[in-house]
Amino acid sequence: MSRTLQWRRWWLVAGLALLLGGCGFHLQTGATIPPRLTGLRVVGSGPAGGSLAEAVHRELQRDGNRAQSDGPLLQIDNAYVSQRIISISPSSGVAQEFLDTLHAQFSVIGNDHKILLESQPLLVENSFSYNSASPLATNEQQITMQRLLMEQGARQILRRVLNSPGFRQQVP
């Protein structure tokens, strides 16, 4: 490839980035926190409350939100994960596929202790298969699946909060 062609491609990509950045284009993680939610803090209760709250906090940090002690509060209550066997090997009788379900309630409370978003249920499901040929991989696989479940739950919570009528930003 010639040097001139490389420079043209570089300038094309740079120009495209400038154009997209100038028109307000954001990647999926850039969900822009509305002013009313700036400084949003996150707390969680229940067996999975801490993990889910951490996942939400990470998503908020990626978007530039820094929790403040006097900011509004995203409260996650009664978070837990249930697991159900959904298929069993007919030959060995060993469970082959599982369904993990994340259950929780979440609400947003203002710094003046007024409810900004009523309590809403959260239900996220994820299935995964067990490979009986590699039983040691199950713990690692389960940890990975739990992390993915928390990330999906965090994104769903933030999507629902940011798209609720009280917080939705007006597009100019």
Side-chain angles (χ1 to χ4, degrees):
M1 186 182 319
S2 74
R3 196 85 144 147
T4 307
L5 185 57
Q6 286 178 336
W7 276 106
R8 283 183 187 170
R9 285 187 179 174
W10 186 89
W11 281 109
L12 178 66
V13 170
L16 188 59
L18 283 173
L19 285 173
L20 288 175
C23 73
F25 175 80
H26 295 284
L27 294 175
Q28 187 176 3
T29 56
T32 331
I33 304 296
R36 194 169 179 194
L37 292 177
T38 301
L40 185 66
R41 299 172 292 141
V42 185
V43 295
S45 70
S51 300
L52 184 55
E54 276 182 38
V56 171
H57 182 71
R58 277 192 306 274
E59 289 291 323
L60 285 167
Q61 281 187 319
R62 279 187 211 142
D63 199 32
N65 182 70
R66 299 292 176 250
Q68 298 173 357
S69 60
D70 61 343
L73 178 68
L74 172 59
Q75 187 167 329
I76 301 169
D77 294 316
N78 306 320
Y80 67 95
V81 176
S82 63
Q83 188 175 73
R84 194 174 68 186
I85 297 171
I86 54 177
S87 78
I88 297 175
S89 168
S91 60
S92 66
V94 174
Q96 287 183 316
E97 193 174 8
F98 297 90
L99 180 68
D100 284 347
T101 306
L102 172 62
H103 307 263
Q105 297 280 328
F106 66 93
S107 59
V108 178
I109 301 166
N111 52 1
D112 55 357
H113 302 290
K114 288 186 180 177
I115 296 174
L116 302 177
L117 181 65
E118 294 287 333
S119 182
Q120 296 187 14
L122 174 71
L123 184 71
V124 181
E125 294 181 328
N126 219 353
S127 65
F128 71 95
S129 300
Y130 168 70
N131 180 0
S132 59
S134 176
L136 294 177
T138 347
N139 288 338
E140 187 175 315
Q141 184 180 19
Q142 189 166 3
I143 290 167
T144 301
M145 293 309 296
Q146 293 273 335
R147 184 178 44 78
L148 289 173
L149 191 65
M150 294 302 155
E151 289 172 2
Q152 288 172 349
R155 284 190 296 272
Q156 191 176 120
I157 287 172
L158 289 175
R159 187 171 40 252
R160 288 169 58 187
V161 167
L162 296 175
N163 288 324
S164 69
F167 304 120
R168 193 174 307 134
Q169 285 192 337
Q170 301 299 322
V171 179

